[in-house]
Structure formats: C-alpha cells, structure tokens
Amino acid sequence: MTTPVVSIAYHSGYGHTAVLAEAVRSGAVAAGAEVHLVKVDEITEEQWETLDRSDAIVFGSPTYMGTASGAFHVFAEATSRRWSGQDWKDKLAAGFTNSASKSGDKLHTLQFFQTLAAQHGMHWVNLGLLPGWNSSTASENDLNRLGFFAGAAAQSNNDQGPEGVHKADVATAEHLGRRVTETARVFARGRATA
C-alpha cells in the first residue's frame, strides 16, 4: 500500500494557526502519511506541484472578520488554474481555523473551505467527533471543546501569542490529521480494487 500524501495549505497571521498546522501535520505523520506544510502566502511552483500530487489537502486559516484571511483568499483565487482543468477532482479536503472568540464566525471559514473544495470536485472530510465540553461533567480539555463538526476549530486569546493555543484545540487538530490520513488510505484501497 502506498503512503498517503497529505498537504496542509495554510496561512497564519500571528502564529496561532501555524500551531494548528503543525498539529495536523503531527497527527497525519503519526497515522503514516507523507506530509507537506505549505504557507500559502509564500507558495512556490514546486509547492503547487506538491499540492497537485497530494491525496489530500487540508486548508487552514485564521478567521478574520468572519472569513478566511485575505492571504488565504488570494491563494484560493489562484487555485482557479487547477479548477479549470479539475486537477484536484476526487482528492480529499479538510479544514481548520482559529479566532480569538469562542465562535467568532469560524463556521463561515470552514464553509468557505468546503465550498472551495466542492468547486474543485474534492471530497470533504469532516472532524468526525462529537462535541466536547457541553455538559456539567465535561471539560474545556475535551476534544472538540468548541463543538464544530465541519472541521477543527480553535480559540486563542487575542492577548497571547502562539503559546496560548489551547491544548485541547491542538489535540483536536492532531485528530483531524489522523482522520484525513486514515480516510486517504481507505480511498486508496477502494481505487486499487475499482
């Protein structure tokens, strides 16, 4: 069986989202993937080629003003060259985001990623976790403590640097990396028998 290739295409304004990208990478590596981190605001032609050969692309951005960052939007528009040829059709996609507020309209960012993936004909991998921290016996240290389903969502205080990213949110992002890799492996097995 071939090793799944997972790329994480992300932008990080103040370092918080980079922490999550590293966590997604860690989870994907632990699950056996070949993983590439791609900073979309510094993307090279070689990295575009890496995205093209990936089995899965995980999109990541902070949520600014209710959507992905401007730098991520520039990247998204640049993917239109791949869209016109449907070069990413049937790849897997997933996403993660961070904002200072518990909600902060992060769902809109994840939906933006889902729509981008759908336009490319990609298959969306959701978080696959029940919500945590939603009962009197639950804890803010639960996986998926913010209760998102579409992808991994994190909250980081706006007066703290990257070291302030909540440990449960890091663990949730690691879970997403493992889930994407495991799903890519299932898809590869299916394609091999088709």
Side-chain angles (χ1 to χ4, degrees), residues 145-160:
R145 70 186 181 109
L146 300 178
F148 283 78
F149 295 91
Q155 181 270 330
S156 302
N157 295 328
N158 64 13
D159 60 352
Q160 291 181 299

Side-chain angles (χ1 to χ4, degrees), residues 3-4 23 40 80-81 99 102 112 115 124-125 134-135 162 168 187 190:
T3 301
V40 299
S80 64
R81 290 182 60 205
S99 73
K102 296 258 189 304
F112 169 73
T115 301
W124 189 258
V125 179
N134 66 355
S135 71
F187 264 62

Side-chain angles (χ1 to χ4, degrees), residues 14-16 19 159-167:
Y14 298 97
H16 305 92
V19 170
D159 60 352
Q160 291 181 299
E163 73 286 349
V165 178
H166 200 285
K167 299 285 187 254

